[in-house]
Amino acid sequence: QVQLVESGGGLVQAGGSLRLSCVASGRAFSNYAMGWFRQAPGKEREFVGTISRGGGSTFYADSVKGRFTISRDNAKNTVSLQMNSLKFEDTAVYYCAASSGLYSRRLHEYDYWGQGTQVTVSS
């Protein structure tokens, strides 16, 4: 069983930056591929990015590619999402998720989810 806790959300001006963090419980963090998803009001949850178990591979949604960066520190059981050049349309609740399978853009591949952290970008 894995428990995930996100932090770092807040209010930021368009063009600014935020760094989100996710801390996982347990001793087997490196067994999981990790993903970030987001959900805006009235919309379904969508893929943001993912990182492989060892951190050697990443994949991003086209909407954030070149602006967002995922990293992980397996010794500290953490995964981060650095968000630069933020846009109003990035406003959403951001969720950290863990997968016991391969890293993936598909929501249903993830086994564990955090409670989310709100990111609001002003125009």
Side-chain angles (χ1 to χ4, degrees), residues 79-115:
V79 61
S80 299
L81 180 67
Q82 179 66 46
M83 305 185 294
N84 299 326
S85 302
L86 282 162
K87 306 173 181 179
F88 175 76
E89 50 264 42
D90 294 319
T91 296
V93 177
Y94 283 72
Y95 297 90
C96 175
S99 171
S100 59
L102 298 174
Y103 72 103
S104 175
R105 65 176 292 118
R106 296 182 293 181
L107 184 148
H108 66 269
E109 296 286 351
Y110 290 82
D111 306 296
Y112 305 101
W113 295 83
Q115 293 300 119

Side-chain angles (χ1 to χ4, degrees), residues 4-123:
L4 306 172
V5 180
E6 304 96 333
S7 63
L11 175 64
V12 65
Q13 191 85 12
S17 299
L18 281 176
R19 184 177 179 88
L20 306 183
S21 295
C22 174
V23 180
S25 66
R27 302 171 63 186
F29 180 67
S30 62
N31 289 345
Y32 296 90
M34 301 296 296
W36 286 96
F37 294 79
R38 66 187 182 186
Q39 188 166 23
K43 300 176 64 178
E44 66 181 19
R45 195 167 299 183
E46 67 175 355
F47 170 76
V48 174
T50 186
I51 187 167
S52 60
R53 294 173 181 81
S57 298
T58 55
F59 180 77
Y60 302 92
D62 289 341
S63 59
V64 307
K65 193 174 299 181
R67 299 187 297 120
F68 291 9
T69 302
I70 297 174
S71 60
R72 69 189 295 164
D73 186 339
N74 287 345
K76 297 180 179 179
N77 281 22
T78 60
V79 61
S80 299
L81 180 67
Q82 179 66 46
M83 305 185 294
N84 299 326
S85 302
L86 282 162
K87 306 173 181 179
F88 175 76
E89 50 264 42
D90 294 319
T91 296
V93 177
Y94 283 72
Y95 297 90
C96 175
S99 171
S100 59
L102 298 174
Y103 72 103
S104 175
R105 65 176 292 118
R106 296 182 293 181
L107 184 148
H108 66 269
E109 296 286 351
Y110 290 82
D111 306 296
Y112 305 101
W113 295 83
Q115 293 300 119
T117 185
Q118 176 71 47
V119 172
T120 303
V121 183
S122 61
S123 302

